[in-house]
Amino acid sequence: MARTAYRTKQKELLLSYLKETGGQHFTVEDVCAHFAKEDETIGVATVYRYLDKMVGEGSVAKYVIDEHSAACFEYRGESACMEAAPHFHLKCEKCGTLIHLQCDELSAVQTKLFEDHGFELNPMRTVFYGVCADCRKKTGTEE
């Protein structure tokens, strides 16, 4: 019985963390580092298990950008539907930050690709690589 209570505590800790992220992307490594700082014990396998369950339920979105990067997750909320609004991603080549981008111009490109070429672009897996504003500030290359 203590084992069930322990798992419930871990799930509640994870859910609390997810709500704090406010729609930001995070990795399993981010989650584990957060709990290590808080002196809370939660195993990597446990985090994966709960996140996979939440992905299946639709409350968490999982993004696999490429084979070289860790999967990113995003908390959508307990009442979220399975399909999020279509959006693209920006990935910083310096710090690895993944940013959502909802852009009418890019949606128009997506429509044009389909209409003119019969190509259906998957915006959830479309990533633009570059350097984010924070990293440009750090290097003094912001305009």
Side-chain angles (χ1 to χ4, degrees):
M1 183 163 241
R3 186 176 169 111
T4 301
Y6 186 69
R7 285 186 180 170
T8 301
K9 178 184 175 193
Q10 289 179 325
K11 185 175 182 179
E12 290 305 314
L13 286 170
L14 181 58
L15 193 54
S16 176
Y17 172 80
L18 297 179
K19 289 177 180 178
E20 288 175 19
T21 64
Q24 296 176 349
H25 292 100
F26 59 88
T27 63
V28 170
E29 183 178 298
D30 296 332
V31 174
C32 292
H34 168 79
F35 288 118
K37 268 196 269 183
E38 300 290 320
D39 288 326
E40 291 287 351
T41 304
I42 184 166
V44 174
T46 300
V47 173
Y48 273 112
R49 185 174 58 252
Y50 282 130
L51 287 176
D52 282 343
K53 184 177 180 186
M54 291 180 203
V55 167
E57 294 167 349
S59 61
V60 171
K62 181 178 181 179
Y63 304 101
V64 179
I65 301 304
D66 58 43
E67 66 276 0
H68 304 293
S69 302
C72 288
F73 298 87
E74 177 191 13
Y75 181 66
R76 294 182 180 171
E78 295 169 0
S79 61
C81 67
M82 290 297 283
E83 293 297 321
H87 60 273
F88 300 87
H89 294 94
L90 306 176
K91 183 167 183 178
C92 180
E93 295 173 304
K94 298 230 183 245
C95 69
T97 298
L98 189 65
I99 303 164
H100 278 291
L101 177 66
Q102 288 182 289
C103 177
D104 292 339
E105 288 84 5
L106 287 176
S107 294
V109 169
Q110 178 185 9
T111 300
K112 182 133 179 78
L113 286 172
F114 184 76
E115 289 173 354
D116 293 357
H117 305 284
F119 186 81
E120 188 171 356
L121 184 68
N122 180 348
M124 299 293 280
R125 292 191 44 98
T126 301
V127 181
F128 295 94
Y129 292 87
V131 180
C132 72
D134 288 341
C135 287
R136 285 196 339 275
K137 284 179 190 173
K138 290 176 188 172
T139 60
T141 58
E142 66 176 322
E143 293 290 318

